[in-house]
Amino acid sequence: MNKNLAIYIYKKYIDLIDRKEFKKLIFSFGIKYFKYINVKINLPNSRFFFGKGKILELKKIFKVKKYNILLININLKYLQEYNIEKFLNCKVFNRTSIILNIFKNRANTNYGKLQVKLAYLKYLSTRLVNRWTHLERQKGGIKFIFGPGEKQIEIDRRIIRKKIRNINNKLKKNIFQRSNSEKLRNKFNIPKISLIGYTNSGKSTLFNLLTNRKYYCEDNFFSTLDIYIKKILFFSFKYNVLLSDTIGFIRNLPKDILDIFKNTLQEINKSKLIFHIVDVSNVNYINNINVVNNILSKINILNIPIVLVMNKIDKIKNCYKKIDFNINMIPYRIWISAKKKIGIKYIYDIINFYFFYSMKNYKIIFPINLINKVKKKIYKYIFIINEWIYDNNKNYCMNIISKKKYILYLIKKYSFIKIIG
């Protein structure tokens, strides 16, 4: 049975948020039991990364406790990693290799598997230095004429380059097929919405709810790796709208991995609307929003409206479903719980607002004793900004946003509704 030691490296102070995330990465990696320690490193050692005293201390710990796996939250140089493995007689997993292994387990589609394989090969290609002890040159030539041939490391680099070329060609074919599907959607003017957000924010739960699907969804990092595109099932409309679920983001996502998945993330640029899902039960949710925004800036998301979806309000005391508007009366944030199906109507409201309604702001008033008669109709098709009781409990006022044609229909159907202001 493997015994695991996880080391959190820090310089000035322990980042409790990053430390917590590293633990969750290890859980997502599939390791449930491990010893966890913090190690302060001011100046990395060129040979072991750890100083002489610390590496000897670790040697003692590994010998006594019989650990055989070391997990570390940073990316070591290959020679440092190689030296640690040899000195401690253990297997070392750094941040990138942990994430790559999680990706490998999460990829379901052929496209996703190819991307993970490409990421791993590119990662491996930078870590071939001194990988073997058998670096003597291979014999070359014809018959008895021998000359200096290739080193093993050069052979392996050539093999990896060939594999990378093959995978890139397969990915290009897949991208071509996707672009044809995109052209077909554009031909029929079918809008697409992308779900983005920090990993484990509830994107897949919302995606499954809106599309009536049952894709893999777990309380773990990177539960979704592949991009899924499915039709949204409207409860009261017959419009075609596509919803796309994307990979979750994380702090300090290795650049190599981000580069590999740029083509996947470019799917976001083909959207007409973006729902940025935020886990408001996470005390660090504001920083998580900034991490996502930073990654979006790197893939050049341009001129696509973004609506914040503040998810998991069921985990927060005195937090209720609502919709927030900016000064131009455009909705920019909604508060929901996808798991508990609270406030899901606002998702449909936002979609209607951006794609199917020409909306304006109105104030309406009607007798309070007739509220039950019109409540269902009003709540079904109209944005309600706020509502209040007026004129000594005789009348009910609503500040709403709606299509003019529908307001006229309401007034015609219910003559007691009046527009004021």
Side-chain angles (χ1 to χ4, degrees), residues 227-344:
I227 280 192
Y228 297 107
I229 301 175
K230 293 296 174 184
K231 181 181 173 182
I232 293 179
L233 299 177
F234 277 87
F235 61 88
S236 58
F237 297 96
K238 297 179 181 179
Y239 303 117
N240 284 325
V241 180
L242 295 175
L243 188 65
S244 168
D245 189 14
T246 60
I247 181 176
F249 301 142
I250 193 172
R251 296 170 79 195
N252 303 320
L253 188 67
K255 184 180 180 296
D256 292 340
I257 292 177
L258 184 60
D259 288 342
I260 295 298
F261 283 88
K262 264 190 176 178
N263 282 333
T264 299
L265 296 174
Q266 285 302 331
E267 286 287 328
I268 300 170
N269 259 326
K270 298 171 185 175
S271 305
K272 302 295 182 185
L273 177 65
I274 294 171
F275 283 132
H276 179 172
I277 317 301
V278 180
D279 175 7
V280 291
S281 68
N282 187 325
V283 293
N284 195 46
Y285 77 86
I286 293 175
N287 282 337
N288 292 349
I289 291 173
N290 293 333
V291 169
V292 174
N293 289 338
N294 185 43
I295 294 174
L296 289 180
S297 68
K298 290 179 181 177
I299 57 174
N300 298 319
I301 299 297
L302 301 171
N303 301 321
I304 302 174
I306 299 176
V307 176
L308 286 170
V309 179
M310 316 306 277
N311 191 26
K312 304 188 184 182
I313 61 171
D314 56 299
K315 294 184 178 181
I316 306 294
K317 286 185 179 180
N318 301 320
C319 190
Y320 306 102
K321 62 179 182 179
K322 64 175 179 175
I323 184 164
D324 295 328
F325 296 84
N326 62 20
I327 56 173
N328 296 317
M329 301 313 296
I330 295 174
Y332 73 95
R333 184 172 61 195
I334 57 177
W335 300 75
I336 70 161
S337 170
K339 189 174 182 180
K340 299 293 183 179
K341 300 181 182 180
I342 300 170
I344 302 303

Side-chain angles (χ1 to χ4, degrees), residues 134-140 147-155:
H134 57 290
L135 288 182
E136 64 274 6
R137 292 182 180 273
Q138 305 290 319
K139 290 182 179 179
E150 293 179 294
K151 287 184 178 180
Q152 180 66 45
I153 191 171
E154 291 164 349
I155 293 170

Side-chain angles (χ1 to χ4, degrees), residues 164 251 391:
I164 287 173
R251 296 170 79 195
D391 196 17

